[in-house]
Amino acid sequence: QGLTIQAGEFVALVGQSGSGKTMLVEVLGLLRRTSGAFSYSAFDGQDNLDLAALWGQNSAQVSSVRSRMFGFVPQSGGLFPFLNARENMEAAQIICNMRDPKEIDSLLVELDLVGVANHPPTALSMGQRQRVALARAMVFEPRIILMDEPLSALDKKLREHMQIELKALHQKLDATVVYVTHDQREALTMSDRIAVVNHGRIEQIETPERLYRQPHSFFVADFVGESIS
């Protein structure tokens, strides 16, 4: 089954470990693919832009488009260890040829990071590091935000709080979010639609309610049902 994501959607990718969730999200914006086809509609006035078609022909254009189009939050946070929290956010803007201190200040307030803005990653808690990583991915207002299990290392209370914050930020930015998670409950509560990945292929993509009530295969029924039992 193909995967079509509408602008502004929050789509979660769920599946068993090793099913291909992380590979899929990385291929969308980070890795050079060797087969298959996908495109991004109406980016900078170009309909159906195929980044892969530009590889080897105009690598500078690929780099420019990717840096402005995608924000990425890895599972580990991936902060620059030699920069403080604010400088990590500034670095993302510089890479995208953008300077907007007001956007940085706004995210620092919204994610409760004002008090640690000048702290290096080693002086931050796990929750604070993940919030800085989220802010860094959003601070240049990308069209698409890719997240690879960004909350998995947080404790239950903080994870639930960050789920609320993420949904609020998604609505504010009106960005498209592709969100990898191993937590079915998280996907069911946060997403507009859920794609169930099994051995590198998409078994079904549907709204949370319809996915639960109308699974297309035994695998989907069994996998989604685990989150309710």
Side-chain angles (χ1 to χ4, degrees), residues 3 13-14 17 34 48 56 64 84 86 102 111 114 116 137 139 145 173-174 186 197 210-212 214-215:
L3 175 62
L13 304 180
V14 301
S17 297
T34 56
N48 298 320
S64 174
N84 64 34
R86 186 184 188 91
K102 290 183 179 179
L111 293 174
V114 174
V116 297
V139 74
I145 302 174
L173 294 173
D174 195 30
E186 187 170 83
V197 184
R210 292 191 65 180
L211 187 73
Y212 180 69
Q214 301 176 27

Side-chain angles (χ1 to χ4, degrees), residues 85-101:
R86 186 184 188 91
E87 290 168 342
N88 264 277
M89 297 167 68
E90 289 173 344
Q93 288 192 338
I94 291 170
I95 291 171
C96 299
N97 296 315
M98 173 184 178
R99 292 294 183 96
D100 188 353

Side-chain angles (χ1 to χ4, degrees), residues 176-192:
T176 304
V177 175
V178 183
Y179 188 95
V180 174
T181 179
H182 68 280
D183 187 332
Q184 297 99 309
R185 286 184 181 273
E186 187 170 83
L188 288 166
T189 57
M190 294 181 68
S191 310
D192 296 318

Side-chain angles (χ1 to χ4, degrees), residues 14-228:
V14 301
Q16 297 173 337
S17 297
S19 62
K21 304 185 300 296
T22 295
M23 180 60 71
L24 177 56
V25 82
E26 289 181 347
V27 165
L28 287 176
L30 303 174
L31 300 179
R32 178 177 181 174
R33 66 173 173 82
T34 56
S35 63
F38 57 85
S39 63
Y40 308 95
S41 296
F43 180 75
D44 281 1
Q46 302 179 63
D47 289 333
N48 298 320
L49 175 65
D50 186 350
L51 287 183
L54 299 176
W55 278 103
Q57 302 176 32
N58 192 336
S59 58
Q61 185 178 358
V62 172
S63 178
S64 174
V65 170
R66 270 198 321 196
S67 65
R68 289 176 292 131
M69 189 172 184
F70 297 99
F72 180 60
V73 185
Q75 185 173 348
S76 61
L79 300 179
F80 299 121
F82 48 86
L83 300 179
N84 64 34
R86 186 184 188 91
E87 290 168 342
N88 264 277
M89 297 167 68
E90 289 173 344
Q93 288 192 338
I94 291 170
I95 291 171
C96 299
N97 296 315
M98 173 184 178
R99 292 294 183 96
D100 188 353
K102 290 183 179 179
E103 184 64 23
I104 292 176
D105 292 337
S106 175
L107 281 171
L108 286 172
V109 171
E110 288 189 44
L111 293 174
D112 193 21
L113 293 168
V114 174
V116 297
N118 296 320
H119 293 189
T122 53
L124 303 177
S125 69
M126 177 64 73
Q128 289 168 338
R129 288 198 293 271
Q130 286 302 97
R131 278 180 276 160
V132 173
L134 288 169
R136 186 179 63 178
M138 298 175 178
V139 74
F140 56 95
E141 300 180 349
R143 299 287 185 86
I144 302 171
I145 302 174
L146 309 173
M147 301 188 187
D148 186 9
E149 301 195 34
L151 309 183
S152 62
L154 306 182
D155 61 60
K156 183 177 183 294
K157 183 176 181 180
L158 182 56
R159 186 166 65 248
E160 291 175 349
H161 173 72
M162 287 303 300
Q163 289 172 5
I164 297 171
E165 293 292 335
L166 272 177
K167 285 298 292 181
L169 285 168
H170 168 242
Q171 293 170 358
K172 175 195 172 187
L173 294 173
D174 195 30
T176 304
V177 175
V178 183
Y179 188 95
V180 174
T181 179
H182 68 280
D183 187 332
Q184 297 99 309
R185 286 184 181 273
E186 187 170 83
L188 288 166
T189 57
M190 294 181 68
S191 310
D192 296 318
R193 290 190 299 155
I194 300 172
V196 181
V197 184
N198 181 25
H199 295 297
R201 63 186 292 270
I202 297 173
E203 289 272 342
Q204 186 175 350
I205 178 167
E206 193 52 89
T207 63
E209 181 177 0
R210 292 191 65 180
L211 187 73
Y212 180 69
R213 296 186 181 279
Q214 301 176 27
H216 289 178
S217 68
F218 176 79
F219 176 85
V220 173
D222 185 59
F223 185 80
V224 176
E226 289 179 1
S227 69
I228 308 300

